[in-house]
């Protein structure tokens, strides 16, 4: 805790500003047991990345995130709340507010965006319905998706967007083994003792040291994370991220493939340089990748872009002086 507190202070006595987690752990002689059985699983579960990627994280970025979310304290941690109906509910409210403000919300995939070729020019947005032209366009998606969609931006912009790597992850929503009581759940996904069940359950092969390229494997117990309908409360509902063993296919309800941003040194440098390209060629950028990679980061980045965009198009009021001829 003392070392962590130094990372968020101005003194920074225990690390260099751009020190990697790997170098920090080596220099402070943390044991292999601490690394492999606690620290790396915790960080990997938060950011859904491999051991190799975790070790490349800037230590200050990691500590600031943990401090902001109350993860550095053992006692009096904050009480987290969930939104009834899930995150899609606040997305619905945001869309409704936009439409009430007469903002057109496109409900079809964008195929291509052609950046403005001239100052104060128009941006062409191409979808299955054809071309539309806009004064400004905000790319509220992953940076690699933006690179594929947007054409005509300068090389500096492309370099910044390309500096954010992504980790592909596979998530499976499934239930417990059939015809088993809750106390005898499949031990491949949850600990054998129910007293050890947590909201997040990190999985590794017994006695094996995590390899650099190995994807993180976590089993999220949804029963602990959010309210469930009455009929499902006594059945373990699990989301397995990159499972080491496959769930029974008959118990699988959905499979989703994700891409999560990875925040190594180059990515953090790109985040710092992002303001330099905002609004160039009438293109703006926001998304969770501009922060720590989570929902609140995406929302905050959108608010910041909206504020900057409004300021950029607000023309100063010009008042011509009238000479008194009397």
């Amino acid at each position: 805790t003392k070392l962590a507190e130094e990372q968020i202070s101005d003194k920074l006595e225990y690390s260099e500003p751009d020190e990697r987690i790997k170098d920090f752990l080596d220099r402070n002689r943390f044991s292999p047991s601490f690394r492999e059985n606690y620290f790396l699983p915790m960080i990997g579960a938060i950011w859904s990345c491999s051991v190799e990627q975790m070790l490349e994280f800037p230590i200050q970025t990691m500590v600031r995130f943990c401090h902001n979310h109350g993860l550095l304290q053992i006692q009096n941690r904050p009480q987290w709340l969930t939104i009834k109906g899930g995150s899609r509910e606040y997305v619905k409210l945001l869309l409704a507010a936009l439409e009430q403000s007469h903002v057109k919300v496109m409900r079809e995939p964008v195929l291509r965006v052609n950046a403005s070729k001239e100052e104060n020019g128009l941006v062409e947005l191409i979808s299955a319905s054809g071309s539309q032209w806009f004064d400004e366009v905000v790319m509220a998606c992953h940076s690699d998706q933006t690179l594929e969609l947007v054409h005509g931006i300068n090389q500096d912009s492309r370099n910044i967007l390309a500096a954010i790597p992504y980790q592909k992850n596979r998530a499976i929503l499934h239930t417990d083994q059939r015809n088993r009581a809750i106390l005898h759940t499949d031990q491949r996904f949850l600990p054998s003792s129910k007293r050890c069940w947590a909201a997040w359950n990190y999985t590794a092969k017994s006695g094996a040291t995590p390899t650099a390229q190995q994807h993180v494997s976590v089993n999220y117990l949804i029963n602990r994370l959010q309210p469930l309908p009455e009929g499902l409360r006594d059945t373990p509902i699990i989301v397995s991220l990159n499972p080491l063993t496959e769930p029974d296919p008959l118990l699988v309800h959905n499979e989703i493939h994700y891409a999560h941003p990875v925040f190594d040194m180059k990515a953090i440098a790109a985040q710092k340089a992002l303001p330099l390209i905002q609004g160039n060629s009438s293109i703006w950028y926001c998304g969770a990748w501009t922060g720590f990679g989570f929902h609140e980061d995406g929302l905050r980045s959108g608010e910041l872009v909206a504020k900057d965009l409004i300021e950029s198009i607000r023309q100063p009021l010009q008042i011509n002086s009238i000479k008194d001829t009397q």
Side-chain angles (χ1 to χ4, degrees):
T1 302
K2 181 179 179 181
L3 292 179
E5 289 174 350
E6 291 293 339
Q7 303 307 310
I8 56 176
S9 71
D10 294 330
K11 296 180 181 179
L12 299 174
E13 296 175 358
Y14 292 90
S15 77
E16 298 299 325
D18 295 326
E19 187 172 29
R20 300 177 303 171
I21 285 179
K22 179 182 184 302
D23 299 328
F24 177 82
L25 294 175
D26 289 343
R27 189 163 55 79
N28 289 283
R29 300 179 181 179
F30 286 98
S31 69
S33 177
F34 171 80
R35 297 183 190 212
E36 297 165 12
N37 297 325
Y38 176 74
F39 187 78
L40 293 178
M42 179 185 72
I43 302 303
I46 292 174
W47 275 285
S48 305
C49 61
S50 68
V51 171
E52 182 180 40
Q53 292 164 334
M54 294 178 231
L55 293 173
E56 293 297 319
F57 268 44
I59 184 67
Q60 288 186 30
T61 299
M62 185 277 296
V63 170
R64 286 194 175 99
F65 172 84
C66 292
H67 173 73
N68 292 342
H69 290 75
L71 298 177
L72 296 180
Q73 57 209 61
I74 303 300
Q75 298 177 338
N76 300 320
R77 289 188 173 184
Q79 176 64 55
W80 295 100
L81 303 176
T82 58
I83 298 174
K84 187 175 182 180
S87 57
R88 63 182 176 184
E89 294 302 318
Y90 69 71
V91 174
K92 290 179 182 178
L93 291 174
L94 289 171
L95 289 174
L98 289 172
E99 291 175 335
Q100 289 175 4
S101 300
H102 306 291
V103 175
K104 181 179 179 180
V105 178
M106 293 187 60
R107 300 184 183 275
E108 60 181 355
V110 174
L111 304 177
R112 181 184 174 108
V113 176
N114 291 323
S116 171
K117 297 181 180 179
E118 301 176 359
E119 186 176 356
N120 298 324
L122 297 178
V123 180
E124 182 184 17
L125 191 150
I126 303 174
S127 67
S129 301
S131 294
Q132 299 182 65
W133 300 86
F134 296 90
D135 296 311
E136 310 282 341
V137 167
V138 178
M139 302 300 298
C141 55
H142 280 338
S143 53
D144 59 341
Q145 295 171 327
T146 296
L147 273 176
E148 293 180 3
L149 287 171
V150 178
H151 298 262
I153 55 177
N154 61 33
Q155 192 59 47
D156 287 342
S157 298
R158 300 192 68 83
N159 290 342
I160 290 174
L161 295 171
I164 312 292
Y166 288 84
Q167 169 68 52
K168 293 183 178 180
N169 291 300
R170 172 173 170 254
I172 301 176
L173 172 64
H174 61 98
T175 54
D176 185 26
Q177 288 290 324
R178 292 168 295 165
N179 303 321
R180 288 195 179 191
I182 192 169
L183 294 178
H184 300 89
T185 188
D186 187 348
Q187 297 178 15
R188 294 177 302 174
F189 303 107
L190 295 174
S192 56
S193 173
K194 185 181 177 182
R195 296 178 62 185
C196 297
W197 290 5
W200 295 7
N201 302 273
Y202 182 87
T203 304
K205 292 183 179 180
S206 179
T209 300
T211 61
Q213 289 77 28
Q214 179 179 315
H215 288 192
V216 65
S217 181
V218 183
N219 298 302
Y220 301 96
L221 183 58
I222 304 303
N223 308 63
R224 291 283 186 90
L225 289 170
Q226 65 186 56
L228 292 174
E230 185 71 32
L232 295 176
R233 293 177 185 174
D234 293 333
T235 301
I237 308 297
I238 303 169
V239 171
S240 294
L241 185 72
N242 304 320
L244 297 181
T245 56
E246 294 297 316
D248 185 337
L250 296 177
L251 302 178
V252 172
H253 296 272
N254 196 12
E255 180 173 328
I256 306 171
H257 293 261
Y258 294 99
H260 293 93
V262 177
F263 300 105
D264 56 15
M265 294 297 183
K266 291 183 179 179
I268 299 302
Q271 288 180 338
K272 294 178 180 178
L274 183 59
L276 300 176
I277 65 171
Q278 290 285 25
N280 289 353
S281 300
S282 301
I283 303 289
W284 302 77
Y285 310 94
C286 66
W289 61 273
T290 66
F292 292 112
F294 298 93
H295 286 226
E296 57 267 31
D297 298 302
L299 185 60
R300 174 170 172 76
S301 71
E303 291 178 329
L304 292 174
V305 163
K307 180 180 178 181
D308 291 343
L309 198 159
I310 291 172
E311 289 296 323
S312 72
I313 62 177
R314 182 177 293 162
Q315 298 295 328
L317 181 63
Q318 295 182 354
I319 302 177
N320 295 324
S321 60
I322 301 176
K323 185 177 181 179
D324 187 0
T325 58
Q326 294 182 354

